[in-house]
Amino acid sequence: MTKFDVLTVGNAIVDIIARCNDQFLIDNNITKAAMNLIDAARAELLYSRMGPALEASGGSAGNTAAGVASLGGRAAYFGKVAEDQLGEIFAHDIRAQGVHYQTKPKGTFPPTARSMIFVTDDGERSMNTYLGACVELGPEDVEPEVVAQAKVTYFEGYLWDPPRAKEAIRECARIAHENGREVSMTLSDSFCVDRYRAEFLDLMRSGTVDIVFANRQEVLALYETDDFEVALNKIAKDCKIAAVTMSENGAVMLKGNERWYVDAIRIKEVVDTTGAGDLFASGFLYGYTQGRTLEDCGKLGCLAAGIVIQQIGPRPMRSLSEAARDAQLI
């Protein structure tokens, strides 16, 4: 018996989201459509220059856990916050989604992580993240019984930035595999891939990770090629299962020599792409842990991603289980 379908491990971050134009990004030296790591001083500067903003609990793996729960799955989450207002917001929000979250907060300093997200008119999000307390996540925060009772443990590639989190992930992978469970990761960001290419490839090739999520840019960066077909062939050989998203062109699932392509859902308007990859992973992993085909997993992923990009913020505001039933996917 398993208590959880999916355990996610990640950086516990509160998103502060505001709209801006492309000139604002240029004037403030912000790399568009990327996750830029910043220090406390720059966080304060950018916050002072933001327009009206929405605060929403985020963090890649936290969003995925919320998506799994919204689909009706049993989700758990490990991530570190501080004992401050943003930490309380984060803990409240993820528990309110129905996610098991018991990671102990880390004092009052450093403060809870926050990401200033600037959304341009094309819906692209440019993230500027001060990691704060979330870098304090370590092996002592691993709840062995939760890992042992989760069908899949999923972590974000961003966790390779804080060094002690790597120890926590390796401990989770050890416990998961000892209990016959599987481990999954998302490559997170092409810049993240550039920083940790060799380590990510080792995680895949060593069998530490079974299921890998990536988007087109990330898989091209991983194999340092501009040929998408070459990158797909390589990732299929390097891991048990890969799911690669292609924005409006849907996604492709790969297992050995087999491939399944699924279309993106029709949408009215792209409002904010924050959380698109996170919610794709939630849909896929929900389907996977329910024993669905990889094609169906991809369809559930595309549905969840398509819904979240039509709203502001990375956590689903409508019931994904209802949407999936309406689409006759569950």
Side-chain angles (χ1 to χ4, degrees):
M1 293 293 292
T2 56
K3 186 175 180 180
F4 301 105
D5 296 311
V6 182
L7 160 66
T8 75
V9 188
N11 289 327
I13 298 170
V14 175
D15 293 335
I16 303 170
I17 307 166
R19 292 196 165 276
C20 75
N21 56 31
D22 285 287
Q23 190 59 48
F24 180 91
L25 302 182
I26 295 167
D27 292 345
N28 288 279
N29 196 29
I30 296 169
T31 304
K32 185 173 181 176
M35 194 281 284
N36 308 276
L37 288 176
I38 59 174
D39 59 18
R42 181 153 172 79
E44 287 187 17
L45 175 68
L46 290 178
Y47 184 69
S48 72
R49 294 179 178 177
M50 290 183 96
L54 167 75
E55 289 183 358
S57 297
S60 175
N63 298 337
T64 299
V68 170
S70 183
L71 279 158
R74 300 163 300 167
Y77 177 73
F78 298 163
K80 203 78 163 174
V81 297
E83 292 177 305
D84 56 19
Q85 184 178 5
L86 289 184
E88 290 174 5
I89 289 171
F90 183 93
H92 169 271
D93 287 355
I94 199 161
R95 289 171 183 152
Q97 291 270 358
V99 177
H100 169 91
Y101 176 57
Q102 297 297 329
T103 308
K104 292 180 181 178
K106 171 76 175 180
T108 57
F109 187 85
T112 296
R114 71 285 314 268
S115 182
M116 267 67 69
I117 301 178
F118 296 95
V119 182
T120 40
D121 292 338
D122 56 3
E124 280 290 355
R125 80 280 185 272
S126 306
M127 299 181 288
N128 302 267
T129 305
Y130 169 57
L131 292 174
C134 73
V135 302
E136 304 295 333
L137 184 76
E140 68 279 4
D141 295 306
V142 172
E143 299 166 52
E145 68 285 357
V146 174
V147 182
Q149 295 181 78
K151 294 178 184 176
V152 176
T153 293
Y154 167 93
F155 69 92
E156 57 189 73
Y158 288 137
L159 278 180
W160 244 242
D161 284 313
R164 293 181 67 252
K166 295 182 186 182
E167 298 175 43
I169 291 302
R170 293 191 187 280
E171 178 66 2
C172 285
R174 182 189 67 77
I175 296 167
H177 285 140
E178 281 183 359
N179 285 274
R181 312 302 187 192
E182 290 180 290
V183 177
S184 177
M185 76 173 290
T186 172
L187 298 185
S188 290
D189 183 287
S190 57
F191 293 92
C192 188
V193 171
D194 288 337
R195 292 195 292 274
Y196 304 110
R197 180 178 294 104
E199 290 178 75
F200 285 177
L201 286 169
D202 180 65
L203 287 170
M204 295 158 59
R205 292 168 178 168
S206 67
T208 303
V209 168
D210 304 292
I211 305 167
V212 177
F213 292 90
N215 63 26
R216 181 187 178 95
Q217 293 75 24
E218 291 156 7
V219 77
L220 291 173
L222 183 65
Y223 294 105
E224 298 181 277
T225 179
D226 55 8
D227 188 323
F228 189 48
E229 187 64 25
V230 167
L232 290 181
N233 286 334
K234 288 187 174 183
I235 199 168
K237 291 178 182 177
D238 281 341
C239 58
K240 179 180 170 183
I241 295 171
V244 181
T245 57
M246 304 176 292
S247 300
E248 69 275 11
N249 295 315
V252 56
M253 276 55 63
L254 305 100
K255 182 178 182 181
N257 294 322
E258 295 183 278
R259 291 188 189 182
W260 298 267
Y261 287 89
V262 298
D263 294 328
I265 67 166
R266 291 180 176 271
I267 62 171
K268 293 180 181 178
E269 179 189 10
V270 176
V271 175
D272 174 12
T273 58
T274 308
D278 308 332
L279 270 293
F280 176 86
S282 70
F284 182 100
L285 289 171
Y286 171 76
Y288 186 77
T289 56
Q290 304 308 306
R292 303 293 294 273
T293 66
L294 292 184
E295 182 178 15
D296 282 351
C297 293
K299 288 178 179 178
L300 282 162
C302 285
L303 175 74
I307 288 171
V308 83
I309 65 174
Q310 296 180 78
Q311 63 170 58
I312 289 286
R315 302 275 174 92
M317 294 179 183
R318 63 174 289 199
S319 166
L320 293 183
S321 62
E322 287 183 11
R325 280 194 293 273
D326 291 344
Q328 297 184 320
L329 291 176
I330 59 174

